[in-house]
Amino acid sequence: AQSVSQHNHHVILSEAASLELGCNYSYGGTVNLFWYVQYPGQHLQLLLKYFSGDPLVKGIKGFEAEFIKSKFSFNLRKPSVQWSDTAEYFCAGHFGNEKLTFGTGTRLTIIP
Amino acid sequence: DTGVSQDPRHKITKRGQNVTFRCDPISEHNRLYWYRQTLGQGPEFLTYFQNEAQLEKSRLLSDRFSAERPKGSFSTLEIQRTEQGDSAMYLCASSPPSTGFYGYTFGSGTRLTVV
């Protein structure tokens, strides 16, 4: 069965630190991959998405993610985090049907 | 506001009562989705409509759950005889007509608490 795994449940960083959140998927076919962010009290917002082409995808707010097919991974990165990046981050995959399969999320806390 | 609207934002109900939630998608979007999110988990797919047709239902959607989209515009999700395990955030999302899948826009959700 298709699945998405996020192994970092809670990450705590200081401002200006670099960020990398892990995301792995399980599926043998063509995938579309997404990162969503949920700020406290707000709805899910799309950060970035990968469909095809350049495996390095740039999104909003300075985030980027790299699709590595051989590792079934789509890790999210940001070179220098800000306090306002405190949120929950969800990786999601589209595996050929109409629905998205989400990971369990990573809570990111940035310490000023 | 031209986003996906959900009503109510919060609902507290007693166990055994019926509840109904409403979702208004972005007006030109013909696809509508319901998801459920419990604490510490990512959203889980419940059901999907294309126009007024309900095309897919998750096994999570027990007999107590029913969703409709009568005119292909807004949708309702009803839970009958609520149980404490139904407490969750219920999310609606929509996407435009397309021959492919390009992701969708989520609403703010309805938080259900069953006491």
Side-chain angles (χ1 to χ4, degrees):
Chain A
Q2 306 101 341
S3 65
V4 174
S5 301
Q6 294 180 248
H7 302 294
N8 312 110
H9 298 294
H10 189 191
V11 173
I12 302 172
L13 294 172
S14 298
E15 274 192 309
S18 64
L19 169 72
E20 181 161 3
L21 300 183
C23 172
N24 290 89
Y25 67 92
S26 175
Y27 185 64
T30 302
V31 299
N32 299 324
L33 295 162
F34 303 78
W35 275 97
Y36 280 87
V37 61
Q38 190 168 31
Y39 298 104
Q42 296 190 27
H43 63 278
L44 283 162
Q45 299 175 39
L46 182 66
L47 267 181
L48 48 80
K49 57 189 177 186
Y50 170 79
F51 285 90
S52 63
D54 190 344
L56 185 62
V57 180
K58 294 192 183 300
I60 61 171
K61 306 188 181 188
F63 287 92
E64 65 178 32
E66 185 175 11
F67 172 58
I68 303 179
K69 190 174 181 179
S70 61
K71 294 185 178 180
F72 298 90
S73 70
F74 190 57
N75 291 356
L76 181 71
R77 300 196 293 247
K78 186 171 184 178
S80 176
V81 294
Q82 301 171 306
W83 178 79
S84 58
D85 293 325
T86 294
E88 187 137 21
Y89 292 80
F90 293 95
C91 182
H94 171 245
F95 304 117
N97 49 31
E98 277 298 324
K99 60 188 177 186
L100 283 179
T101 300
F102 284 83
T104 52
T106 297
R107 183 153 51 108
L108 176 65
T109 301
I110 306 300
I111 300 170
Chain B
D1 187 346
T2 57
V4 177
S5 300
Q6 292 189 246
D7 185 69
R9 293 292 301 273
H10 303 275
K11 177 73 176 177
I12 300 174
T13 190
K14 291 184 178 180
R15 191 176 52 180
Q17 297 294 305
N18 299 343
V19 294
T20 300
F21 310 140
R22 177 180 171 123
C23 171
D24 287 88
I26 294 172
S27 58
E28 61 268 25
H29 287 188
N30 69 333
R31 302 177 185 185
L32 186 147
Y33 311 81
W34 286 99
Y35 280 73
R36 181 173 69 185
Q37 186 178 13
T38 53
L39 205 60
Q41 299 295 319
E44 296 173 293
F45 172 80
L46 292 179
T47 190
Y48 151 63
F49 290 85
Q50 183 165 309
N51 300 313
E52 64 274 12
Q54 188 174 19
L55 297 186
E56 189 172 349
K57 290 169 59 173
S58 163
R59 287 171 294 176
L60 293 174
L61 218 62
S62 74
D63 291 345
R64 296 184 297 105
F65 288 70
S66 62
E68 294 182 344
R69 194 181 183 199
K71 296 182 180 179
S73 57
F74 72 92
S75 175
T76 58
L77 178 67
E78 181 183 15
I79 309 174
Q80 296 182 326
R81 305 181 304 281
T82 52
E83 302 172 356
Q84 287 187 321
D86 298 330
S87 295
M89 176 75 86
Y90 289 84
L91 298 169
C92 179
S94 68
S95 68
S98 173
T99 55
F101 180 87
Y102 296 100
Y104 31 71
T105 303
F106 280 93
S108 298
T110 293
R111 182 169 296 284
L112 173 66
T113 303
V114 182
V115 297

